[in-house]
Amino acid sequence: MRIFIIFLLAITTILAANLVIKNNDIKKIFKKKKINIIELINNDKISKDYFFKQISIKEGQSFWKFNPFKLKKDLENFNEIKNFTFYLNWSGILKIKIDEKEPFMIWIRDENINYVDFNGIILNFDVKEEKDSIIKLFGNNANLKISELNNLLLEKEKTLSSIDSIFYQKNIGWKLIFHNNKCVLLPLKKLEKVLDIFQDIKNSELYNQFNFFDLRVFRRVYMSNKKC
């Protein structure tokens, strides 16, 4: 009986030792667990290089240091993203799916070209070749001034959809060129009233008779057929 008890104790000791070893192995495995891959899904205009530089999570980072609240804040700081979801699976793959904002205009000055949103905020997108299908905005600091004009044009959707290009000149005004090669010059102030006047002109026969409309002097309209 005493021999049997000693045998059981020996077996228990061996099992306990093996369990400690296995627990240590598991701890080592857990400690070494990392985020192996970060996948960006549904990106079209935003470059992966730019995206991954802006987020704090990096490939090779400890799995256990992943902070979903920090990643959420990082993604909310992107001007280029409307919505997002993300999921980190047990194999160490972090999947981030995004919905990009639609650029409202393409802002062109000298050699610099950027997409901007409705409020003129620059969107750090790769500029695509389909830029002809979007309104082209010209002029230094035009992006800082365009939101007021956009808000007024939004109420005149038919006019907005017919615009090809918008030029901003500091202390002078705006020039809108339409797809039909007609154009209008607008002042920087009293835009709402002036746009209402131009809308009345667009709805009249006068619009068909002339190509060039200058409304920069309030309550006066200069019309001609000179080129824009």
Side-chain angles (χ1 to χ4, degrees):
M1 184 68 176
R2 184 180 296 174
I3 295 172
F4 179 70
I5 292 172
I6 293 172
F7 176 76
L8 285 177
L9 288 172
I11 293 296
T12 304
T13 302
I14 292 170
L15 289 174
N18 285 335
L19 184 60
V20 170
I21 292 170
K22 287 181 179 178
N23 281 339
N24 287 335
D25 289 341
I26 291 171
K27 286 180 181 179
K28 287 179 182 178
I29 292 171
F30 272 52
K31 189 175 181 179
K32 291 181 179 180
K33 193 167 182 62
K34 298 182 182 301
I35 297 175
N36 299 311
I37 299 173
I38 303 177
E39 293 182 3
L40 179 60
I41 303 169
N42 206 35
N43 65 302
D44 177 34
K45 294 183 176 65
I46 191 170
S47 74
K48 289 186 177 181
D49 286 343
Y50 167 72
F51 179 84
F52 290 128
K53 285 179 182 177
Q54 304 305 311
I55 62 174
S56 55
I57 311 298
K58 307 297 178 186
E59 288 184 358
Q61 176 180 317
S62 170
F63 184 92
W64 308 108
K65 291 183 179 179
F66 172 67
N67 187 334
F69 301 104
K70 181 66 171 69
L71 179 57
K72 179 176 180 291
K73 186 175 181 180
D74 289 342
L75 295 172
E76 288 173 342
N77 285 334
F78 277 90
N79 290 324
E80 298 81 9
I81 296 175
K82 288 190 299 185
N83 299 300
F84 58 83
T85 57
F86 57 84
Y87 173 71
L88 176 61
N89 64 30
W90 184 246
S91 61
I93 299 175
L94 174 60
K95 296 185 178 183
I96 305 173
K97 185 176 181 181
I98 62 172
D99 290 325
E100 296 176 339
K101 284 184 180 178
E102 285 296 325
F104 193 70
M105 294 180 176
I106 185 166
W107 180 32
I108 304 169
R109 65 266 182 239
D110 299 326
E111 299 298 319
N112 297 312
I113 301 176
N114 295 102
Y115 286 119
V116 294
D117 67 8
F118 183 83
N119 294 311
I121 296 172
I122 292 176
L123 303 175
N124 203 320
F125 285 148
D126 289 333
V127 177
K128 304 289 185 179
E129 290 302 318
E130 70 266 19
K131 59 188 178 184
D132 288 338
S133 63
I134 193 170
I135 295 174
K136 294 179 282 293
L137 177 65
F138 297 88
N140 292 330
N141 297 320
N143 66 315
L144 303 178
K145 306 292 183 180
I146 194 64
S147 61
E148 181 188 1
L149 180 59
N150 282 342
N151 278 302
L152 295 172
L153 288 172
L154 193 62
E155 299 173 2
K156 299 169 174 57
E157 189 174 342
K158 191 173 180 180
T159 297
L160 180 62
S161 63
S162 63
I163 296 173
D164 177 80
S165 308
I166 297 178
F167 293 78
Y168 168 73
Q169 292 180 296
K170 183 180 179 181
N171 299 324
I172 297 177
W174 299 95
K175 178 165 75 171
L176 280 56
I177 299 180
F178 301 97
H179 294 302
N180 59 8
N181 294 320
K182 295 177 183 287
C183 67
V184 59
L185 302 184
L186 304 172
L188 295 175
K189 297 180 179 180
K190 299 182 179 178
L191 265 176
E192 185 173 5
K193 293 181 179 179
V194 172
L195 278 171
D196 287 340
I197 295 171
F198 180 65
Q199 191 66 40
D200 291 339
I201 293 173
K202 279 198 75 175
N203 295 331
S204 71
E205 285 298 318
L206 285 173
Y207 188 70
N208 296 324
Q209 297 176 26
F210 299 98
N211 294 325
F212 183 91
F213 305 86
D214 189 344
L215 283 75
R216 287 174 298 176
V217 178
F218 190 58
R219 298 185 186 280
R220 293 187 182 182
V221 181
Y222 171 76
M223 293 175 280
S224 76
N225 279 315
K226 72 177 184 178
K227 292 183 179 181
C228 294

